[in-house]
Amino acid sequence: MSGLRRKDLLGISELTPDEITLILDTAQAMKEIGSRTVKKVPALRGKTVVNLFFEPSTRTRTSFEIAEKRLSADTLNVAIATSSVVKGETLADTAMNLEAMNPDMIVLRHSSSGACHLLSRICRSAIINAGDGLHEHPTQALLDAYTIRERKGRLSGLKVAIIGDLLHSRVLRSNIHLLTKMGADVWVCGPPTLIPANIRDFGVRATSVIDEAVRDADVVMLLRIQLERMEGAYFPSLREYYNVFGMTEARLKSARPDVTIMHPGPMNRGVEISSEVADGPYSVILDQVSNGVAVRMAVLYLLAGSGGQEGAEHEEAA
Amino acid sequence: MDADRIGRTLTRIAHEIVERNKGVEDLALVGVRTRGVHIARRIGQSLKEITGHDIATGALDITLYRDDLMRQAVGPQPLVRMTEIPFSIDNRKILLVDDVLYTGRTTRAALDALIDFGRPKAIQLIVLVDRGHRELPIKADYVGKNLPTAADESVQVRLQESDGVDEVVLEQAVDPSKPGGAR
Amino acid sequence: MKKLLKGGRVIDPANRIDGTCDVLIDGDRIAQVGRDLPVNGATVIEIPAGFIVSPGLIDMHVHLREPGQEHKETVATGTAAAVAGGFTAVACMPNTVPVNDSANVTALILAKAREASLARVYPIGAVSKGSKGELLADIAELREAGCVAITDDGHPTSTAMLMRRAMEYAGMFNMPLVEHCEDTSLKADGVAHEGFHASALGLRGIPGACEALGAERGILLAELTGSHFHVAHMSARQSMRAVRKGKEAGIRVTCEVAPHHFTLTDEALAKPIPYDTNTKMNPPLRSDTDRDAMVAGIADGTVDVIATDHAPHHYDEKSVEFDRAPFGIVGLETAVPLTFDRLVHAGHITLPRMIELLSCNPATILRLTGGTLSAGVAADITILAPDLRVTIDARSLHSKSRNTPFDGWILRGGVAATIVGGRTVYSNAAAGLTV
């Protein structure tokens, strides 16, 4: 019986396909707990989990919080308002102060890529990456994979098109790692100004012609366009973006008839996705949210027992 | 025990169930993963043959209720499987089914899990083998076979559905420091 | 007081010497270099076989951080690191606090250097007042006070017009303009080389073209003004191409490469320590192709100088998230072992070429007396041990700061002793030579 023999979940890039499968299988069992009357199991009873969020996030934080509580863990939410101008306590000092209270796990969201790696070097606690800068958002990719697997029965061999602001997306990077590891055929698409350097070295196809990406796709994943900094710098206007890259029903026609539409949220209706598509029959956007809790429960459970070193095998109780 | 013996034992248990409960009204079977589930199905089959009624049957994974979770300092977590109890357990008599009764800890975990699902009228425990060495005050209501064992022995139950053969064998445990199944 | 360094391999490219020779030091001067010199009452120091006696090494790109940032380094600790690294002289950058745009600051630096009396210090003054890029600094005053070149290092010279005027003006004194080549808009908020590793790690990228744009600009202005333009810390193959073309066209352009740019690549961002802030500097570590281009340029003569861009930062400043950490690593004490191990022993350059890069050429470019062992010059001598096994240990660096990516590296080739003005200012016990 295998397990996650690691201390932290810093990114999908470190996971093996077997580990990914284990997490998804465990998530399946966890999902059922959410449909019981008593939505709680004692698995993480007495464990303290700190949700350390340096970036505001209702969606991801509440998802983690519900997951932690369903496993009977004690959760502590620490939200830190930062601006690049304010120089307060360093991340390292904040972490060390928390460590002194002996948390078992820290779920970290931060605006700097590599923040979780830094924390992992400092803290004994298990670190779960809830999104670090532009780097990775592993639980998002895992719940995306779970959702796809639920709909399609597999990941291998599917054509998955990911469209949007690729350059600034940590969800993109995590999804690329996961889907390529599991044998999917990944196409990424966006304006050339928003495609990361050397993207093809990640084992994906890249195009700025949206029809190439969407044709015969099994899954179309839309990424959010960040309104705040986009206009004028990376492309001329939101209107133009929607005209060239927006996912409309017309554009979707060349995809497979049972195509699954996904979006990590929050959506900009009328920018990267039209309302008809977002609310349409093939959209699983709300499923992604409910699967998020199950996947995060799986990750919390699987990491909670491992001390990161080789250990004695547990006896299997069945 | 061989295949034949196991078959007859389960049939005998089915009759005992009907007798003790004066029929099969309000009964439901819940097997503890993994092998308990197969045994539960077989008993359900026998009960149907005896009474003509279908008995609701479910599968329970007790991994997340184990008392030894998180107590090992290091090591990977045990695998969690699906729990499927597609009926309400409120006001029913639940027949909890497991393959081996040993320390009693699995049964305790199963009781905790069942209570989270609802409030049964009663819970009765069915085991194929009782090997002694109880560590908790747990007793089976129906026992296939009492098999006194030493601590360094292990009882292996193999079933057609999961292992391709029906048998119960007594083996010397490979590592005497590990009990042969935390029951 | 006479000392006779006997029996070492003397490499003095300026005088075309490469062979077993003796060097006679009289007081603070070199008296004579020749075979089998008579002892005549001098103290004899036997140089072990294989050791090299070379003109003192000169690092023309060092940040001494004093005045204003003494928590990172001081002139005293910086010159101690220099001599431990085999350097008898350093040229220090003006991006101190306050900026070295006046005789006062220059005088302070020189006074501190005299006080420490280890390596010689040649300040480089600012191009513009406060390095703000608006008005020219008092360049003649800086020159008078002892500056040997001008730069607004830390960032590029603000405009082409300012650079032109500065080059014309400094050209009066035949002072080179040293440039941190970069296009500010293209660099934006980049923190690493734009490429696969930055993309994978989610770090904003700086393309090689960004540096090359600055290089091309300076080369054209050097052509326009007839002045000397020096490319600081070159890292990109596109810059190398520009410098090569400029030299072919007879333009007065020279350039330097730092050891980390001929050793490391952007893979260091990910391994062995992901997001190691000791791999963050500007210009960044670039791709294999760029690194190989640096090595090729060093080998074929396009590159004139190896200079470290020694940039000390306090441990706390570097122990933060990658994009918040300051750019820069220390380099004075790792330059010689890296040059030996990665260039000489790897077969890319000869020993005389190494001395040119580290001594003769910096002296020529900054118009210093130095870089030779001619009779009558100051006795600034570096004794090198080409086969010495060196283990880089961050904790035992003489610099105040420890920000190096080379901690734990085992390299072949190091410094045995450093002599400034006839005085031994550094002696490496591990080399087994007492000078």
Side-chain angles (χ1 to χ4, degrees):
Chain A
M1 174 233 359
S2 67
L4 276 189
R5 289 179 172 279
R6 52 181 68 249
K7 171 177 165 281
D8 315 296
L9 179 62
L10 301 177
I12 304 289
S13 54
E14 293 105 41
L15 295 179
T16 65
D18 282 345
E19 285 175 307
I20 292 168
T21 304
L22 175 64
I23 294 172
L24 297 181
D25 289 344
T26 306
Q28 205 164 358
M30 296 297 185
K31 190 166 179 181
E32 176 269 319
I33 296 169
S35 55
R36 301 183 187 177
T37 332
V38 176
K39 297 175 185 47
K40 202 185 257 290
V41 292
L44 258 63
R45 195 172 64 93
K47 298 284 175 182
T48 305
V49 181
V50 177
N51 295 325
L52 184 56
F53 276 60
F54 284 80
E55 272 182 342
S57 154
T58 322
R59 185 185 301 252
T60 305
R61 216 208 65 226
T62 49
S63 182
F64 266 106
E65 199 180 332
I66 294 174
E68 290 147 17
K69 291 185 149 108
R70 288 206 176 146
L71 293 170
S72 300
D74 295 323
T75 63
L76 173 63
N77 289 314
V78 182
I80 304 199
T82 52
S83 82
S84 54
V85 175
V86 171
K87 289 196 172 200
E89 207 179 15
T90 63
L91 171 61
D93 280 336
T94 307
M96 288 199 283
N97 282 323
L98 278 179
E99 269 277 284
M101 296 187 270
N102 212 7
D104 296 281
M105 309 176 88
I106 298 177
V107 176
L108 176 67
R109 168 169 283 196
H110 197 280
S111 54
S112 289
S113 302
C116 296
H117 281 78
L118 179 62
L119 219 65
S120 168
R121 287 195 276 274
I122 301 171
C123 296
R124 279 184 319 267
S125 326
I127 310 294
I128 297 180
N129 184 357
D132 66 328
L134 308 183
H135 175 230
E136 285 223 41
H137 191 356
T139 56
Q140 180 69 42
L142 285 163
L143 76 87
D144 287 341
Y146 184 90
T147 308
I148 295 172
R149 203 174 78 155
E150 203 176 40
R151 284 279 163 143
K152 306 287 185 198
R154 64 189 161 116
L155 292 166
S156 172
L158 297 178
K159 178 174 176 183
V160 180
I162 309 180
I163 304 170
D165 177 1
L166 309 172
L167 184 61
H168 299 101
S169 173
R170 52 192 172 214
V171 171
L172 172 84
R173 286 164 178 80
S174 291
N175 267 304
I176 286 181
H177 288 308
L178 193 152
L179 292 166
T180 52
K181 277 182 208 263
M182 304 306 279
D185 177 25
V186 181
W187 287 66
V188 304
C189 175
T193 47
L194 286 177
I195 297 185
N198 297 69
I199 191 68
R200 290 176 184 85
D201 293 343
F202 290 85
V204 306
R205 319 278 215 103
T207 175
S208 292
V209 179
I210 195 170
D211 296 307
E212 275 179 25
V214 174
R215 190 175 319 123
D216 299 325
D218 293 285
V219 179
V220 173
M221 206 183 279
L222 283 331
L223 296 178
R224 179 181 151 73
I225 295 296
Q226 312 228 6
L227 308 180
E228 308 80 65
R229 47 189 163 156
M230 289 300 103
E231 224 160 339
Y234 293 91
F235 50 85
S237 64
L238 296 178
R239 192 174 131 265
E240 180 141 314
Y241 182 86
Y242 183 68
N243 289 341
V244 182
F245 295 100
M247 191 48 54
T248 59
E249 288 196 312
R251 284 231 156 87
L252 263 190
K253 282 196 166 46
S254 64
R256 289 181 57 96
D258 59 347
V259 67
T260 297
I261 308 295
M262 303 176 66
H263 193 304
M267 291 188 286
N268 294 315
R269 291 168 182 264
V271 181
E272 65 262 8
I273 187 171
S274 73
S275 280
E276 297 79 48
V277 172
D279 303 327
Y282 298 112
S283 163
V284 298
I285 293 169
L286 292 174
D287 288 352
Q288 285 173 273
V289 177
S290 64
N291 292 334
V293 174
V295 162
R296 287 169 176 129
M297 285 173 75
V299 168
L300 286 159
Y301 168 72
L302 288 166
L303 282 182
S306 66
Q309 338 260 309
E310 309 313 295
E313 287 280 325
H314 275 240
E315 272 295 306
E316 214 188 294
Chain B
M1 289 168 90
D2 64 9
D4 218 26
R5 186 74 187 278
I6 291 174
R8 279 183 279 126
T9 303
L10 293 180
T11 310
R12 189 251 303 159
I13 288 176
H15 283 282
E16 277 180 35
I17 291 169
V18 176
E19 206 185 294
R20 204 183 300 192
N21 291 292
K22 303 190 182 18
V24 293
E25 217 183 296
D26 315 347
L27 286 186
L29 289 155
V30 174
V32 175
R33 286 226 183 257
T34 338
R35 293 188 182 82
V37 179
H38 305 312
I39 297 173
R41 290 217 176 94
R42 291 198 201 181
I43 291 178
Q45 188 59 31
S46 280
L47 287 171
K48 176 159 177 159
E49 278 160 23
I50 296 169
T51 68
H53 289 145
D54 280 311
I55 315 292
T57 307
L60 179 66
D61 182 281
I62 56 101
T63 314
L64 298 172
Y65 289 84
R66 285 168 60 151
D67 63 7
D68 63 342
L69 265 194
M70 314 296 169
R71 286 193 186 273
Q72 315 264 62
V74 292
Q77 297 287 57
L79 197 57
V80 183
R81 293 205 172 79
M82 293 279 298
T83 288
E84 288 164 283
I85 302 182
F87 49 86
S88 169
I89 67 170
D90 288 345
N91 293 316
R92 279 180 121 126
K93 285 188 205 155
I94 301 297
L95 300 168
L96 190 60
V97 187
D98 205 355
D99 55 346
V100 178
L101 177 57
Y102 179 30
T103 60
R105 292 182 190 275
T106 299
T107 307
R108 183 213 61 80
L111 292 173
D112 270 0
L114 280 178
I115 302 290
D116 273 356
F117 274 89
R119 192 175 188 279
K121 198 191 302 192
I123 301 176
Q124 295 171 4
L125 178 63
I126 303 170
V127 297
L128 184 60
V129 175
D130 179 346
R131 66 169 284 197
H133 298 285
R134 212 76 73 239
E135 290 172 7
L136 298 174
I138 301 270
K139 196 174 79 120
D141 297 283
Y142 309 87
V143 180
K145 182 174 177 60
N146 279 298
L147 195 60
T149 57
D152 66 345
E153 288 172 321
S154 108
V155 176
Q156 295 299 326
V157 173
R158 296 193 184 102
L159 299 174
Q160 191 73 31
E161 296 93 320
S162 51
D163 312 286
V165 65
D166 277 356
E167 64 180 5
V168 178
V169 291
L170 192 59
E171 287 172 4
Q172 210 65 29
V174 173
D175 179 357
S177 71
K178 283 191 196 178
R183 306 288 173 196
Chain C
M1 225 278 272
K2 292 191 192 178
K3 286 189 214 177
L4 183 65
L5 305 176
K6 193 161 181 53
R9 176 177 169 185
V10 172
I11 302 183
D12 182 3
N15 290 316
R16 290 198 185 74
I17 299 176
D18 180 0
T20 311
C21 275
D22 304 337
V23 177
L24 180 65
I25 301 169
D26 188 353
D28 64 352
R29 307 261 130 200
I30 297 188
Q32 196 184 355
V33 174
R35 286 180 175 288
D36 300 312
L37 296 181
V39 177
N40 276 352
T43 318
V44 175
I45 295 144
E46 296 283 345
I47 307 294
F51 279 35
I52 296 167
V53 177
S54 118
L57 307 183
I58 301 169
D59 186 348
M60 66 176 277
H61 194 138
V62 171
H63 295 270
L64 293 178
R65 305 296 190 205
E66 189 171 11
Q69 297 181 307
E70 292 83 355
H71 60 290
K72 301 181 203 246
E73 192 86 282
T74 62
V75 174
T77 58
T79 49
V83 298
F87 294 96
T88 55
V90 299
C92 65
M93 289 298 169
N95 59 336
T96 47
V97 183
V99 163
N100 184 8
D101 62 359
S102 70
N104 288 341
V105 179
T106 306
L108 174 94
I109 294 170
L110 289 172
K112 293 284 183 183
R114 264 192 308 273
E115 212 180 287
S117 75
L118 293 166
R120 295 183 202 279
V121 174
Y122 296 103
I124 298 183
V127 164
S128 60
K129 287 191 167 50
S131 276
K132 289 208 174 76
E134 291 158 12
L135 301 171
L136 281 178
D138 292 324
I139 294 173
E141 179 189 296
L142 286 168
R143 157 80 168 191
E144 187 71 18
C147 287
V148 297
I150 52 168
T151 185
D152 271 347
D153 186 48
H155 53 255
T157 304
S158 63
T159 62
M161 179 58 94
L162 182 70
M163 183 184 278
R164 175 201 184 148
R165 298 286 179 240
M167 283 169 103
E168 285 167 340
Y169 196 82
M172 270 199 297
F173 312 107
N174 206 12
M175 285 168 89
L177 186 145
V178 175
E179 177 76 350
H180 168 117
C181 296
E182 180 180 290
D183 178 284
T184 311
S185 71
L186 213 55
K187 181 202 172 271
D189 47 8
V191 296
H193 174 64
E194 186 178 283
F196 173 77
H197 292 286
S199 289
L201 294 174
L203 297 172
R204 290 181 162 82
I206 308 171
C210 171
E211 177 188 284
L213 272 170
E216 302 254 20
R217 178 180 80 162
I219 292 168
L220 285 166
L221 290 174
E223 184 178 34
L224 179 64
T225 60
S227 289
H228 178 175
F229 177 73
H230 179 85
V231 178
H233 46 51
M234 193 163 71
S235 67
R237 63 188 185 277
Q238 301 91 334
S239 309
M240 184 72 74
R241 188 177 64 206
V243 169
R244 203 172 267 129
K245 287 222 182 90
K247 287 187 171 187
E248 277 162 21
I251 298 171
R252 290 178 72 198
V253 54
T254 55
C255 65
E256 71 195 35
V257 173
H260 47 273
H261 287 121
F262 63 69
T263 307
L264 296 170
T265 65
D266 57 352
E267 195 181 17
L269 294 167
K271 306 178 170 110
I273 302 169
Y275 301 98
D276 182 3
T277 54
N278 288 331
T279 60
K280 179 179 181 181
M281 72 285 289
N282 190 21
L285 298 174
R286 299 200 190 267
S287 68
D288 291 11
T289 323
D290 294 296
R291 189 265 314 269
D292 295 343
M294 294 306 111
V295 173
I298 288 170
D300 73 15
T302 309
V303 175
D304 304 279
V305 168
I306 291 174
T308 64
D309 193 7
H310 176 87
H313 289 292
H314 192 275
Y315 178 78
D316 288 343
E317 292 168 313
K318 280 287 207 178
S319 301
V320 294
E321 305 86 293
F322 195 89
D323 47 17
R324 282 184 56 197
F327 291 100
I329 57 169
V330 291
L332 282 167
E333 295 167 83
T334 46
V336 164
L338 286 168
T339 305
F340 265 125
D341 196 280
R342 298 296 154 124
L343 294 177
V344 177
H345 294 310
H348 297 296
I349 62 172
T350 62
L351 283 162
R353 173 78 181 134
M354 172 177 166
I355 306 305
E356 273 175 20
L357 288 159
L358 285 168
S359 182
C360 315
N361 292 350
T364 310
I365 286 170
L366 295 177
R367 337 270 185 255
L368 309 173
T369 57
T372 78
L373 293 172
S374 309
V377 303
D380 289 353
I381 298 169
T382 306
I383 303 179
L384 298 162
D387 297 304
L388 182 67
R389 187 187 147 100
V390 172
T391 305
I392 309 293
D393 177 12
R395 269 155 310 281
S396 49
L397 292 178
H398 296 72
S399 165
K400 226 179 191 184
S401 294
R402 305 262 169 278
N403 48 322
T404 175
F406 301 112
D407 192 24
W409 282 45
I410 299 173
L411 299 163
R412 184 172 146 226
V415 176
T418 310
I419 299 168
V420 175
R423 254 178 63 236
T424 305
V425 290
Y426 174 75
S427 186
N428 183 1
L433 164 71
T434 19
V435 182

